Amino acid sequence: MRTGQLIVISGPSGAGKGTVCKQLLREIENLKISVSATTRDPREGEVNGINYHFTEKEVFLKGIEEDKFLEHAKVYDNYYGTPKKYVMKEIENGNNVLLEIDIQGALQVKEKYPEGVFIFILPPSMQELKNRIVGRGTETAEAIEKRFKSAYEEIKYVEKYDYCVVNDKVELAVERIKAIITAETCKVKHDIEEIISKFREESIC
Amino acid sequence: MRTGQLIVISGPSGAGKGTVCKQLLREIENLKISVSATTRDPREGEVNGINYHFTEKEVFLKGIEEDKFLEHAKVYDNYYGTPKKYVMKEIENGNNVLLEIDIQGALQVKEKYPEGVFIFILPPSMQELKNRIVGRGTETAEAIEKRFKSAYEEIKYVEKYDYCVVNDKVELAVERIKAIITAETCKVKHDIEEIISKFREESIC
C-alpha cells in the first residue's frame, strides 16, 4: 500500500495559513489534521484530542528527551509540540496529514522528516499582509509593527520549502495546494520497484 | 517574467499518450504543442508547421550537426526530430510547451533539457495494454506481439521520469497532469530571488 504524506503548511503571520487549512480539510477527504500537544491549561470549550493533546509538563519534557516530537517550542511558560506518533501512524495507513505551523516549527519538522511536502504560503503583497495584520483589529500598533517586521524577515525562508503558494484568493490557493498534493502522489520516488513489479507480475500472454 | 515549462508526455506504445495530449491541449489555455520536423514527404491533408515542419534532408542533417534538435531519430529512411528553437522561444515567452514522444526520444530530451517535466504514462495493466494494442485492429498478430513485448520492456524506464500517471480513464489522467503542471508552477526553484526581491522592494512604511 502506498504511504500517505505529511503536508506542511507554513509561512509568515498574516499569510492566511489558517483559513487555507480549514478549507483544505473541508474539501479533501481522508486528509487528517495534526493535533498539537501542549502543557497549557484547556480554555473553555476546548476538547482534549481535538483542539490540543493536553499534556502534563513532566510527560511533555520526557517526550522531548525521547524524541517523540517532530518539533516543539516553548512560548512563555508553556510547551507546544507536534507528536510524531499520530502523524506517522496516519502516514503508514496511507492517509495524508496536514500540519499548519509557523516557520521555525516547519524548519524543525524538515530536519526530522525531510520527506514531507513543505508549502510556503505567501500573501499577495507586503501591503496586503499589513492590511491583514491591521484588519484583525486585536492588536496594539506596536504589536502590529513587530508582527509585520517579523513577517518581512521570514519571507527569506521560502527557499527552504518545496513549494510557494500565493494566497491571493483562498479558493485559488486551495486549488493550488490540492494540485500539489495530487502531483506529489504521481511523483516517481520510492515506489518505482512497486510499479515495475506490478507490471512484470502479469503474464505477457 | 516567469518562464514556461517543457511538459514531456511519454510512455510505452498503447498507454494512450495521444488521447491524453489531445485532451490537455483542449483544456489548457496557452499550452503550445511542439511540432516535429521530418524529412518525409507530406501526406494528403498534412499542413507544414501544423502536422510537421517538413524539412529537406540536407537541412535536417546540418541541424543535427549544429545541435538544433532536442532529440532526433531515423525511422527507415526518414528523419524525425524536435527543433529546439521553437520550444525555447515559447518557454522564454512564459508559455508551457507539450511534447508527446516515445521513451527513447524523451531520454534524449532529458539529456539536453533536464529542466523539463517528464511524465510517464502507464496503462492500468499489461492486459489492458494488450487489449488496446489489439483493439486498434490495424496490425498483424506478429506486429502486435512485437509492440507488446517492447512496451513490456519499456516500463522499466519509468525511473528516469519525474512523474508517473496511470491512464485508467482519460479524464482522470488529464486531471492528474493538470495538477502536475500547476504544482510545478508553484515549485520553489530558480525564482526564489525573484520572490524575495519582489517582497523586499515594497517599502515597510
Side-chain angles (χ1 to χ4, degrees):
Chain A
M1 191 183 61
R2 182 140 193 158
T3 55
Q5 296 182 98
L6 177 62
I7 313 295
V8 181
I9 303 287
S10 179
S13 166
K17 300 187 287 293
T19 320
V20 165
C21 284
K22 271 195 203 100
Q23 196 57 32
L24 282 170
L25 287 166
R26 262 187 226 122
E27 293 190 21
I28 308 180
E29 254 183 288
N30 291 329
L31 180 64
K32 309 288 177 179
I33 184 121
S34 165
V35 176
S36 297
T38 182
T39 59
R40 82 155 164 73
D41 292 330
R43 289 175 196 151
E44 213 188 306
E46 283 185 339
V47 180
N48 190 29
I50 301 279
N51 303 92
Y52 283 98
H53 297 290
F54 294 102
T55 311
E56 294 295 323
K57 195 173 170 185
E58 297 73 49
V59 177
F60 199 107
L61 292 175
K62 196 158 169 270
I64 296 176
E65 262 178 47
E66 292 171 353
D67 195 28
K68 287 188 169 166
F69 293 103
L70 280 175
E71 58 79 37
H72 67 271
K74 195 178 175 186
V75 182
Y76 302 107
D77 280 341
N78 296 309
Y79 288 89
Y80 295 82
T82 303
K84 249 186 214 174
K85 195 175 146 188
Y86 170 83
V87 170
M88 293 308 156
K89 197 188 81 188
E90 292 292 349
I91 287 175
E92 278 159 28
N93 287 341
N95 293 319
N96 292 331
V97 179
L98 187 69
L99 175 59
E100 180 201 337
I101 196 163
D102 64 14
I103 294 170
Q104 296 314 314
L107 298 180
Q108 278 187 53
V109 175
K110 207 184 170 192
E111 289 275 315
K112 301 219 178 182
Y113 194 72
E115 302 90 334
V117 180
F118 292 83
I119 303 174
F120 196 90
I121 307 290
L122 268 179
S125 69
M126 288 312 270
Q127 189 52 53
E128 177 57 23
L129 179 67
K130 190 154 197 176
N131 295 346
R132 288 180 192 179
I133 293 174
V134 173
R136 291 179 180 180
T138 53
E139 290 173 301
T140 64
E142 197 189 351
I144 287 170
E145 195 59 22
K146 196 178 156 195
R147 191 186 282 274
F148 182 72
K149 283 207 168 141
S150 142
Y152 182 80
E153 283 306 315
E154 283 180 329
I155 300 290
K156 68 174 180 233
Y157 290 107
V158 66
E159 65 175 9
K160 305 278 189 190
Y161 287 71
D162 302 310
Y163 297 96
C164 171
V165 168
V166 176
N167 184 19
D168 38 6
K169 284 190 177 168
V170 175
E171 52 276 36
L172 290 178
V174 165
E175 282 311 309
R176 290 176 195 127
I177 295 170
K178 284 164 75 177
I180 290 168
I181 296 173
T182 300
E184 285 284 329
T185 313
C186 295
K187 259 197 183 165
V188 174
K189 287 190 290 196
H190 321 291
D191 55 341
I192 303 167
E193 289 305 321
E194 202 187 311
I195 294 170
I196 296 177
S197 71
K198 176 175 173 272
F199 277 84
R200 290 293 167 89
E201 273 162 20
E202 300 181 46
S203 80
I204 304 199
C205 308
Chain B
M1 191 184 60
R2 181 142 193 155
T3 56
Q5 297 181 99
L6 177 61
I7 314 294
V8 180
I9 303 287
S10 180
S13 166
K17 300 187 287 292
T19 320
V20 164
C21 284
K22 271 193 203 102
Q23 196 57 31
L24 282 170
L25 287 165
R26 263 187 225 122
E27 292 190 21
I28 308 180
E29 253 183 291
N30 292 329
L31 180 64
K32 310 287 178 182
I33 184 120
S34 165
V35 177
S36 298
T38 182
T39 59
R40 82 155 163 75
D41 292 330
R43 291 177 194 150
E44 212 188 306
E46 284 185 339
V47 180
N48 189 29
I50 301 279
N51 304 92
Y52 283 98
H53 298 291
F54 295 102
T55 311
E56 295 294 325
K57 195 174 169 183
E58 297 73 48
V59 177
F60 200 107
L61 292 175
K62 195 156 170 276
I64 295 175
E65 261 179 46
E66 292 172 352
D67 195 28
K68 286 188 170 167
F69 293 103
L70 280 176
E71 58 78 37
H72 67 272
K74 196 178 175 188
V75 182
Y76 302 109
D77 280 341
N78 296 309
Y79 287 89
Y80 295 83
T82 304
K84 249 186 214 174
K85 195 174 148 189
Y86 169 84
V87 170
M88 292 308 156
K89 197 189 82 190
E90 292 293 349
I91 287 176
E92 277 160 27
N93 287 340
N95 293 320
N96 292 331
V97 179
L98 187 69
L99 174 58
E100 179 201 336
I101 196 162
D102 63 13
I103 294 170
Q104 296 313 313
L107 297 180
Q108 278 187 54
V109 175
K110 208 185 169 191
E111 289 275 316
K112 301 219 177 182
Y113 194 71
E115 302 90 333
V117 181
F118 293 83
I119 303 173
F120 196 90
I121 307 288
L122 268 181
S125 69
M126 289 311 270
Q127 188 51 53
E128 177 57 23
L129 179 67
K130 190 153 198 177
N131 295 346
R132 288 180 192 180
I133 294 174
V134 173
R136 290 178 180 181
T138 53
E139 290 173 301
T140 63
E142 197 189 351
I144 287 171
E145 196 59 24
K146 195 176 157 196
R147 192 186 280 278
F148 182 72
K149 282 206 169 142
S150 144
Y152 182 81
E153 283 306 316
E154 283 181 328
I155 300 289
K156 68 174 179 230
Y157 290 107
V158 65
E159 66 175 8
K160 304 278 188 192
Y161 288 71
D162 302 311
Y163 298 96
C164 172
V165 168
V166 176
N167 184 18
D168 39 6
K169 286 192 176 167
V170 175
E171 52 276 37
L172 289 179
V174 166
E175 282 311 310
R176 289 178 196 126
I177 295 170
K178 283 165 75 177
I180 290 168
I181 295 173
T182 300
E184 284 285 329
T185 313
C186 295
K187 258 197 184 166
V188 173
K189 287 190 289 197
H190 320 291
D191 55 340
I192 303 166
E193 289 305 320
E194 202 188 309
I195 293 170
I196 296 177
S197 70
K198 177 175 172 273
F199 276 85
R200 288 294 166 88
E201 273 162 19
E202 300 180 44
S203 80
I204 306 196
C205 307

